[in-house]
Amino acid sequence: MAPSTDLVDFCVRLPKVELHAHINGSISPKTMHQLMDRKRAMGTLNEELAAWQVPDSLERIHDFFALFKYIYQLTEDEEAIRITTRNIIDEFAADGVKYLELRTTPRKNQATGMTKESYLSTVLSVVNEPRDDIIVRLIVSIDRRNTLEEAFEAVDLATKFRSQNVVGIDLCGDVSKGSFEALKPAFDKAKSLGFKVTLHFNEIMENMVEAPALLAFGPDRLGHATFLDDASRQHIYGNNIPVEICMTSNVVSKTVDSYETHHVKDLLKEKHPFVLCTDDKGVFFSDLSNEFVICANTFKMNKEELFESSYRAIDYIFADTKTKEHLKQVWNEWRMQEFN
Ligand code: 6MZ
């Protein structure tokens, strides 16, 4: 059944926090066309990329990671990164997101001369553009396929740019590749430097073997946490670790069978902290208000419950106490107007 326009309208207007959004997966179809046109004008659009279309369904999560072979060709120089980051922030702001933690893996490209440092500094130059409709922070991602040396490089870059609103480090990437153990020294360093850490956790069943190592590390948040055995569940619930929930991403990439069986139902039942997020809104064609609509419809949440869920998310952001207090004030003012 199609959601009511009243609910859709409410979920767009609701002030929201987005904490799990990969930059290169969040590029909207409109921006992809803009970047294709730009490459065409520069004479650098090859035939394979020109013929590529974002698929509307995926057979397996593995097919998702293969898409970046194309997407990364669109964002291989600083200007493309600038356009991409700005458009993504504009789109989240237009969808009622008031606080946004973007995340991205610093990338270099020999042909264009882009370095990991120039990549990150470009992203941050946009993140820090003055605007009063949204607050933006950055998490630096370490890809599971990275070497330990590359992981240290990411932490060093995060440290160098820390004063420019880098708030945390993430473990991401193809869930069937690499291992956390191999990269752990870099995460230990990040933690010792005081960075917050979020880890993609048990997105597929095969990841469960490394769950004890990930949890023993003491992450501040977890991404997905789809497959939980009793020990993981006890640890996560016992330590109140917030979970970043990406319903559409999980259903489209088929790590979860349906919205009805999505593991967020357990978190709702246990009143465990979670945050609705988009993951890759460009590839999965779903913005954050739509994730709220889906959750509301699937689990029969009313408007007050949706507001509470959004309000609670403020406690799990990686920014400082002052920012949290400011956001709570914004949310409370909105609540007064909306519900009185
Ligand atoms: C794990 C994911 C992901 O960093 O180049 N990424 N990693 N699970 C997911 N669930 C579907 N979605 C995206 O953004 C793209 C990168 O984010 C990670 C992948 O490593 C992908 O290459 P950035 O901005």
Side-chain angles (χ1 to χ4, degrees):
M1 202 173 66
S4 73
T5 48
D6 179 52
L7 176 65
V8 173
D9 178 60
F10 175 84
C11 290
V12 174
R13 285 188 294 106
L14 178 69
K16 294 175 289 297
V17 158
E18 165 69 75
L19 302 184
H20 190 130
H22 301 271
I23 288 187
N24 283 274
S26 300
I27 307 176
S28 63
K30 194 168 162 225
T31 302
M32 286 197 198
H33 286 298
Q34 184 183 355
L35 295 173
M36 290 242 196
D37 289 346
R38 179 174 173 267
K39 276 185 89 67
R40 200 171 284 117
M42 295 194 311
T44 57
L45 184 68
N46 63 41
E47 271 180 33
E48 192 190 22
L49 185 59
W52 177 68
Q53 283 186 336
V54 182
D56 52 17
S57 82
L58 300 166
E59 283 301 311
R60 312 164 291 158
I61 190 166
H62 180 71
D63 299 334
F64 166 79
F65 295 105
L67 298 177
F68 289 93
K69 173 185 161 207
Y70 300 99
I71 295 175
Y72 283 160
Q73 289 182 54
L74 292 173
T75 56
E76 61 191 5
D77 63 83
E78 290 90 346
E79 183 53 19
I81 293 296
R82 188 171 295 115
I83 294 169
T84 296
T85 309
R86 189 174 296 120
N87 287 2
I88 290 171
I89 295 172
D90 284 347
E91 288 155 3
F92 275 117
D95 190 44
V97 173
K98 299 290 173 206
Y99 175 88
L100 167 64
E101 280 174 17
L102 287 174
R103 60 183 70 188
T104 199
T105 325
R107 185 160 36 93
K108 64 179 173 194
N109 186 293
Q110 231 162 13
T112 66
M114 181 172 77
T115 63
K116 289 186 178 183
E117 180 162 347
S118 69
Y119 177 100
L120 199 57
S121 109
T122 304
V123 169
L124 286 166
S125 70
V126 184
V127 160
N128 289 306
E129 280 171 359
R131 52 191 300 164
D132 51 20
D133 54 347
I134 186 166
I135 296 172
V136 190
R137 299 287 183 261
L138 192 75
I139 295 172
V140 171
S141 293
I142 295 176
D143 192 300
R144 295 176 66 93
R145 285 162 303 185
N146 285 163
T147 61
L148 179 58
E149 196 187 347
E150 289 169 321
F152 273 125
E153 196 185 348
V155 175
D156 290 345
L157 280 175
T159 309
K160 178 165 186 178
F161 288 104
R162 190 167 196 172
S163 62
Q164 294 183 37
N165 286 321
V166 177
V167 290
I169 304 287
D170 159 52
L171 172 72
C172 75
D174 191 335
V175 275
S176 62
K177 306 263 163 64
S179 82
F180 174 65
E181 274 307 326
L183 303 172
K184 188 171 171 287
F187 282 88
D188 287 336
K189 182 173 181 186
K191 195 180 200 180
S192 73
L193 289 167
F195 282 109
K196 299 279 187 188
V197 174
T198 175
L199 303 173
H200 280 67
F201 183 80
N202 288 8
E203 198 173 353
I204 60 172
M205 216 179 282
E206 288 77 357
N207 294 143
M208 287 173 79
V209 285
E210 61 176 17
L214 267 72
L215 294 178
F217 170 78
D220 298 285
R221 292 196 311 245
L222 293 172
H224 304 293
T226 308
F227 297 96
L228 299 185
D229 56 18
D230 285 346
S232 296
R233 191 173 293 111
Q234 270 175 22
H235 184 104
I236 294 167
Y237 288 177
N239 290 279
N240 233 18
I241 306 174
V243 182
E244 301 152 3
I245 289 289
C246 312
M247 294 181 73
T248 298
S249 161
N250 298 154
V251 170
V252 175
S253 56
K254 298 199 171 60
T255 57
V256 168
D257 289 338
S258 65
Y259 292 117
E260 290 71 24
T261 56
H262 194 280
H263 51 284
V264 71
K265 70 180 185 325
D266 301 329
L267 305 181
L268 278 163
K269 198 168 131 215
E270 297 295 328
K271 297 197 177 358
H272 183 80
F274 72 88
V275 189
L276 291 178
C277 301
T278 52
D279 210 1
D280 300 282
K281 74 174 182 56
V283 182
F284 299 128
F285 303 114
S286 179
D287 48 25
L288 189 56
S289 61
N290 190 48
E291 296 301 303
F292 274 79
V293 170
I294 290 170
C295 195
N297 271 345
T298 310
F299 301 108
K300 308 285 169 273
M301 291 169 75
N302 63 32
K303 289 178 179 173
E304 279 81 4
E305 289 167 328
L306 291 173
F307 178 86
E308 272 317 308
S309 177
S310 174
Y311 186 79
R312 281 181 81 192
I314 298 170
D315 282 328
Y316 320 136
I317 68 175
F318 284 169
D320 54 21
T321 311
K322 203 169 145 223
T323 308
K324 287 183 188 173
E325 281 167 4
H326 165 73
L327 292 174
K328 285 186 177 174
Q329 195 184 334
V330 171
W331 261 241
N332 280 326
E333 280 165 13
W334 189 88
R335 182 199 333 233
M336 296 271 282
Q337 286 207 338
E338 183 70 21
F339 294 119
N340 286 338

